[in-house]
Amino acid sequence: MDMHELTRELHTKNDAKVVMLVADGLGGLPIEPGGRTELETARTSNLDALAMRGVCGGSIPVKPGITPGSGPGHLGLFGYDPLKYRIGRGALEATGVGMEITDRDVAARCNFCTLDAEGRITDRRAGRIATEKSAPLAVKLRDIRIDGVEVFVEPVKEHRFVVMFRGEGLGGNVADTDPQATGVPPLAPVAHDERSKKTAAVAAQFIEAARKLLADQPQANGLTMRGFSAHPELPSYDEVYGLRAAAIAVYPMYKGLARLVGMDVVGQAATLDEQIDVLTEHWDKYDFFFIHFKYTDSTGEDGNFDAKVAQIEAFDAVVPRVMKLGPTVTIVTGDHSTPSFLRSHSWHPVPTLLVSDCCRPDPCQSFGETACLGGGLGQFEAKYLMLLALSNAGRLAKFGA
Amino acid sequence: MDMHELTRELHTKNDAKVVMLVADGLGGLPIEPGGRTELETARTSNLDALAMRGVCGGSIPVKPGITPGSGPGHLGLFGYDPLKYRIGRGALEATGVGMEITDRDVAARCNFCTLDAEGRITDRRAGRIATEKSAPLAVKLRDIRIDGVEVFVEPVKEHRFVVMFRGEGLGGNVADTDPQATGVPPLAPVAHDERSKKTAAVAAQFIEAARKLLADQPQANGLTMRGFSAHPELPSYDEVYGLRAAAIAVYPMYKGLARLVGMDVVGQAATLDEQIDVLTEHWDKYDFFFIHFKYTDSTGEDGNFDAKVAQIEAFDAVVPRVMKLGPTVTIVTGDHSTPSFLRSHSWHPVPTLLVSDCCRPDPCQSFGETACLGGGLGQFEAKYLMLLALSNAGRLAKFGA
């Protein structure tokens, strides 16, 4: 049973405020046997104080052993079963750069690449071309006209851009054209179902037209497309939880994800401190705040243990500013683990804490992977976290008589 | 998958006896930061001794964060998925006052109320009229005759009574007539589906006839109906578990719930000691005993921490009498938590222990919320508890070859 069938029926309104602080890729691993994780190494007196007051546990992003991408990781935290709701990477990225994706649209992530004279890929990322050079090229591709569809192109960063086709009968099930190798040409777009044949044909026309427009480019004279995806059908936070929700994020993808579940993306912030400024400004206007901190993940992906420790400490440092606002429920978690040891996302449970006046305290005296094992939240699937947030906020009525 | 598909296939018979002691609303919260819960405060040497011998854990009544009513709370303990089986309040209350509800019946909870000369409610509970006065009025309503259906009326307590209609084609999907406000008249009964139109029409006739019979009453001259519900389809304990099961409860609702899953409600007991007398008398005739203790919940709902502590100690005191009978499996749990701090049911996991010759002991040295966090049962959904009861009783065969 979808938990939203319950929350729709049971949610109530009050003045409670819920803050969910998401340190991306928070969970880690020791780099040597018997060692401590990044979180356990970091000095986090503020998070430790919350762990003492609150209840801790381990969030399993999807199912044990499943490593999620950012999409499923966040959907789980937002209470949307990540096995039920699938968001294509293209749709996510499109939303993240502010494109309004509708149910007539299919989006794809694109990379500029370098092709040799025979059309074979020599660099899958066009030499990681600078954004100043690549962005005008993406804009140039807006000139492409295809019968029966509208074409939208947005630059992202370096070699990356997004293409979105709008029209009738566009399915999202088209295979990636990136061969994940050099020395071979990009693959042709192939539809995986009947509904997506038109999309594949449109994509092929787009690629052909783009090749002509880019022919004189030294680095970015070709492109690959991946993550084709139609608009995902996600019910909104307001509808399923009765929450006016705001997202405060720096990176486009997390803004995009929050928009897909109906959160307002508020403020312009480049640093964590600025994010808390935005939180403070919007405090009275929303019931729920999702605050996304990226750098615990990116340092983990770089395999930089010490840098991840430093980012966790930077994250810890803003906690008092959040608590000063007096949230009814404060949650600290991550969308998945990103151990520097693995230099990638992982399946390990994510240290999670929840503080409210009516959480049942547990023996946890600090915030870390091992301490959380003895915590009162136990190990739980991330998709249940929003139920706990609502009940601790007094916004969920009794189920049944 | 419904666990009953497994238990139907795997259950076996033997001479084992299973006792499930349910202290309603057992779980609690500290009333001050860093304090102990009610159960942790109570002196429970007998329960502590069981915790040392047995295995402990935390029972999640429905799903994390979901606060159950008594119906879903008990269905979970009985092994019936509370999200799959929904029992209407009317059906539950009817069964609880000893009405035999069949698949041709629809029951509703009714309140006597006070109406002014214009038919507007001035008191939704008829001044909480004394049972001595209200019971004869409910009995008087048995005189009402409606074409095509039989009418049954049973007094409950104070302003409350139950009405049950028996006949063909009566759906249970009718809206409450209680407007949840004073100064307005009761709502007319409205059917939510085609099958329930006859029920709504019958209810309207009943209300009209009742108004005439009650017209001269100073307090109870009107009524509201709510929780309309048809007979829930619950498979029996005998069918799904192969258990001859007996329920020993003081309060009607818990007797009713036990009857709905096919337990025999045995004995007449007003105190816990009398309940154990009944247990002793019926020891040889049943395989499974459900013993319900109400006052841990009612003291919690009163917000009376000390009284709940005292009730837990009273509950602890009868444990030796139960153990003297030599049950093969003894379970102590609750249907949900009722922290005095919240004065209501809550979502917090319920301390649970299981003792048998073949449970795997764990480090728990006492019975309490924090101790249970380190217990061998972990945190588990209540619906799995009956599987553990059966396996520890040697009544569940191997699954698969």
Side-chain angles (χ1 to χ4, degrees):
Chain A
M1 183 180 171
D2 187 339
M3 286 304 106
H4 291 158
E5 289 178 40
L6 276 184
T7 58
R8 279 190 186 97
E9 182 185 330
L10 301 178
H11 74 69
T12 59
K13 312 234 175 196
N14 63 17
D15 294 333
K17 305 277 184 195
V18 178
V19 176
M20 183 184 276
L21 293 165
V22 176
D24 205 301
L26 178 62
L29 283 174
I31 38 173
E32 53 197 24
R36 293 174 173 207
T37 67
E38 297 91 332
L39 177 57
E40 290 167 348
T41 303
R43 278 156 304 182
T44 55
S45 58
N46 299 308
L47 291 169
D48 294 346
L50 292 188
M52 264 180 253
R53 271 177 60 194
V55 61
C56 296
S59 166
I60 296 170
V62 180
K63 289 282 178 188
I66 301 297
T67 298
S70 301
H74 279 84
L75 282 189
L77 290 180
F78 296 162
Y80 295 72
D81 187 337
L83 294 175
K84 173 175 176 179
Y85 296 102
R86 307 273 189 117
I87 302 178
R89 194 86 182 197
L92 189 57
E93 188 108 330
T95 317
V97 294
M99 299 168 96
E100 290 265 329
I101 182 165
T102 76
D103 55 11
R104 298 171 62 227
D105 300 346
V106 167
R109 305 174 78 202
C110 300
N111 280 359
F112 286 116
C113 63
T114 313
L115 303 177
D116 66 15
E118 281 73 42
R120 292 176 303 215
I121 299 174
T122 57
D123 190 318
R124 289 175 53 239
R125 295 183 188 84
R128 289 197 184 270
I129 183 171
T131 308
E132 309 87 80
K133 290 190 194 173
S134 64
L137 296 179
V139 170
K140 196 170 167 184
L141 300 183
R142 290 177 184 165
D143 293 341
I144 295 172
R145 295 284 174 269
I146 299 172
D147 272 357
V149 296
E150 284 179 273
V151 177
F152 302 86
V153 185
E154 283 294 333
V156 180
K157 207 176 176 184
E158 299 173 346
H159 54 284
R160 300 199 302 273
F161 62 104
V162 180
V163 170
M164 194 167 82
F165 304 125
R166 176 168 298 166
E168 298 307 320
L170 295 174
N173 203 353
V174 174
D176 293 355
T177 74
D178 185 344
Q180 300 280 338
T182 54
V184 292
L187 304 170
V190 174
H192 280 318
D193 59 26
E194 199 58 38
R195 287 184 54 249
S196 303
K197 286 197 167 166
K198 179 173 171 186
T199 310
V202 165
Q205 288 177 66
F206 178 82
I207 291 165
E208 196 189 333
R211 286 278 298 276
K212 283 176 193 157
L213 288 174
L214 300 170
D216 59 346
Q217 290 299 316
Q219 282 179 294
N221 63 345
L223 76 150
T224 57
M225 306 183 79
R226 59 205 170 97
F228 283 91
S229 41
H231 180 252
E233 287 301 323
L234 291 163
S236 76
Y237 250 54
D238 184 37
E239 194 244 322
V240 296
Y241 303 134
L243 289 172
R244 295 170 302 166
I248 306 171
V250 173
Y251 276 63
M253 179 174 296
Y254 311 97
K255 294 180 182 174
L257 200 41
R259 273 197 202 96
L260 287 178
V261 296
M263 293 190 201
D264 288 351
V265 175
V266 298
Q268 289 285 346
T271 67
L272 198 41
D273 253 311
E274 287 170 11
Q275 287 178 276
I276 309 304
D277 293 342
V278 173
L279 174 69
T280 307
E281 282 162 37
H282 290 80
W283 189 249
D284 293 333
K285 299 190 213 68
Y286 294 92
D287 309 305
F288 179 92
F289 298 90
F290 157 57
I291 299 175
H292 181 267
F293 180 57
K294 175 68 180 170
Y295 302 107
T296 35
D297 176 61
S298 41
T299 48
E301 292 218 317
D302 291 342
N304 193 334
F305 189 97
D306 294 340
K308 186 172 172 189
V309 168
Q311 289 299 337
I312 291 169
E313 291 179 352
F315 178 72
D316 180 77
V318 303
V319 167
R321 289 192 62 204
V322 175
M323 299 313 289
K324 215 169 159 185
L325 295 167
T328 318
V329 182
T330 309
I331 290 169
V332 180
T333 188
D335 56 336
H336 52 75
S337 295
T338 305
S340 344
F341 179 76
L342 292 176
R343 297 173 174 264
S344 67
H345 293 195
S346 80
W347 61 92
H348 302 88
V350 186
T352 298
L353 68 79
L354 184 153
V355 178
S356 81
D357 281 347
C358 55
C359 63
R360 183 188 283 161
D362 59 29
C364 294
Q365 297 293 303
S366 65
F367 190 47
E369 286 81 350
T370 300
C372 282
L373 290 178
L377 293 176
Q379 288 193 358
F380 60 94
E381 289 180 35
K383 68 180 178 183
Y384 297 123
L385 191 56
M386 278 303 301
L387 298 179
L388 290 163
L390 290 170
S391 53
N392 276 275
R395 294 179 72 110
L396 208 54
K398 188 163 69 175
F399 169 61
Chain B
M1 182 182 170
D2 187 340
M3 286 302 106
H4 291 157
E5 289 177 38
L6 277 184
T7 58
R8 280 191 186 97
E9 184 185 330
L10 302 179
H11 73 68
T12 59
K13 312 237 176 193
N14 63 16
D15 294 332
K17 305 279 184 194
V18 178
V19 176
M20 183 184 276
L21 293 165
V22 176
D24 205 303
L26 178 61
L29 284 175
I31 38 173
E32 55 197 22
R36 294 173 172 209
T37 66
E38 296 91 333
L39 177 58
E40 290 167 348
T41 303
R43 279 157 302 184
T44 54
S45 58
N46 298 308
L47 291 168
D48 294 346
L50 292 188
M52 265 181 254
R53 273 176 59 194
V55 61
C56 296
S59 166
I60 296 170
V62 179
K63 289 282 178 188
I66 299 296
T67 297
S70 301
H74 279 84
L75 282 190
L77 291 180
F78 296 161
Y80 295 71
D81 187 340
L83 294 175
K84 173 175 175 179
Y85 296 102
R86 307 268 192 125
I87 303 179
R89 191 88 186 198
L92 191 57
E93 189 109 331
T95 317
V97 294
M99 298 168 97
E100 291 264 331
I101 183 166
T102 75
D103 55 10
R104 299 169 62 226
D105 299 346
V106 167
R109 305 175 77 203
C110 302
N111 279 0
F112 286 115
C113 64
T114 312
L115 303 176
D116 66 15
E118 281 74 40
R120 292 176 303 217
I121 298 173
T122 57
D123 189 316
R124 289 175 55 239
R125 295 182 188 84
R128 291 198 184 268
I129 183 171
T131 308
E132 309 87 79
K133 288 189 194 172
S134 64
L137 296 178
V139 170
K140 196 171 167 184
L141 300 182
R142 291 178 183 164
D143 294 340
I144 295 173
R145 296 282 172 272
I146 299 173
D147 274 357
V149 297
E150 284 180 274
V151 177
F152 301 86
V153 185
E154 284 294 333
V156 179
K157 206 175 175 185
E158 297 173 346
H159 53 284
R160 300 199 303 273
F161 62 103
V162 179
V163 169
M164 194 166 82
F165 304 124
R166 176 168 298 165
E168 297 307 319
L170 296 174
N173 204 352
V174 175
D176 292 354
T177 74
D178 184 344
Q180 301 280 339
T182 54
V184 292
L187 304 170
V190 174
H192 280 318
D193 58 27
E194 199 59 36
R195 289 184 53 250
S196 304
K197 286 197 166 166
K198 180 174 169 186
T199 310
V202 164
Q205 287 178 65
F206 178 82
I207 291 164
E208 196 190 335
R211 287 279 296 278
K212 281 175 195 157
L213 288 175
L214 301 170
D216 59 344
Q217 290 299 315
Q219 282 180 294
N221 63 344
L223 76 150
T224 57
M225 305 182 80
R226 59 205 169 99
F228 282 91
S229 39
H231 180 252
E233 288 301 323
L234 291 162
S236 76
Y237 250 53
D238 184 36
E239 193 246 321
V240 295
Y241 303 134
L243 289 172
R244 295 170 302 164
I248 307 172
V250 173
Y251 274 64
M253 179 176 294
Y254 312 97
K255 294 180 183 177
L257 201 39
R259 275 198 200 96
L260 287 178
V261 295
M263 293 190 202
D264 287 351
V265 175
V266 298
Q268 288 286 347
T271 67
L272 198 42
D273 254 311
E274 288 171 10
Q275 288 178 276
I276 308 305
D277 293 342
V278 172
L279 174 68
T280 307
E281 283 161 36
H282 290 80
W283 189 248
D284 293 334
K285 300 191 212 68
Y286 293 93
D287 309 304
F288 178 93
F289 298 90
F290 156 58
I291 300 176
H292 179 266
F293 181 56
K294 176 67 180 170
Y295 302 107
T296 34
D297 176 62
S298 41
T299 48
E301 292 219 316
D302 290 343
N304 193 333
F305 189 97
D306 294 340
K308 186 173 171 188
V309 169
Q311 290 299 338
I312 292 170
E313 292 178 350
F315 177 72
D316 180 77
V318 302
V319 167
R321 289 191 62 202
V322 175
M323 299 313 288
K324 216 168 156 185
L325 295 168
T328 319
V329 183
T330 309
I331 290 168
V332 179
T333 187
D335 54 336
H336 52 75
S337 294
T338 305
S340 340
F341 179 77
L342 292 175
R343 296 173 175 264
S344 67
H345 293 195
S346 82
W347 61 92
H348 301 86
V350 186
T352 299
L353 68 79
L354 183 152
V355 178
S356 79
D357 282 348
C358 55
C359 62
R360 183 188 285 160
D362 59 28
C364 294
Q365 297 293 305
S366 64
F367 191 47
E369 285 81 351
T370 299
C372 281
L373 289 178
L377 293 176
Q379 288 193 0
F380 60 93
E381 291 182 30
K383 67 181 178 183
Y384 297 120
L385 191 56
M386 278 304 299
L387 299 180
L388 291 163
L390 290 170
S391 52
N392 277 275
R395 294 179 73 110
L396 209 53
K398 188 162 67 178
F399 170 60

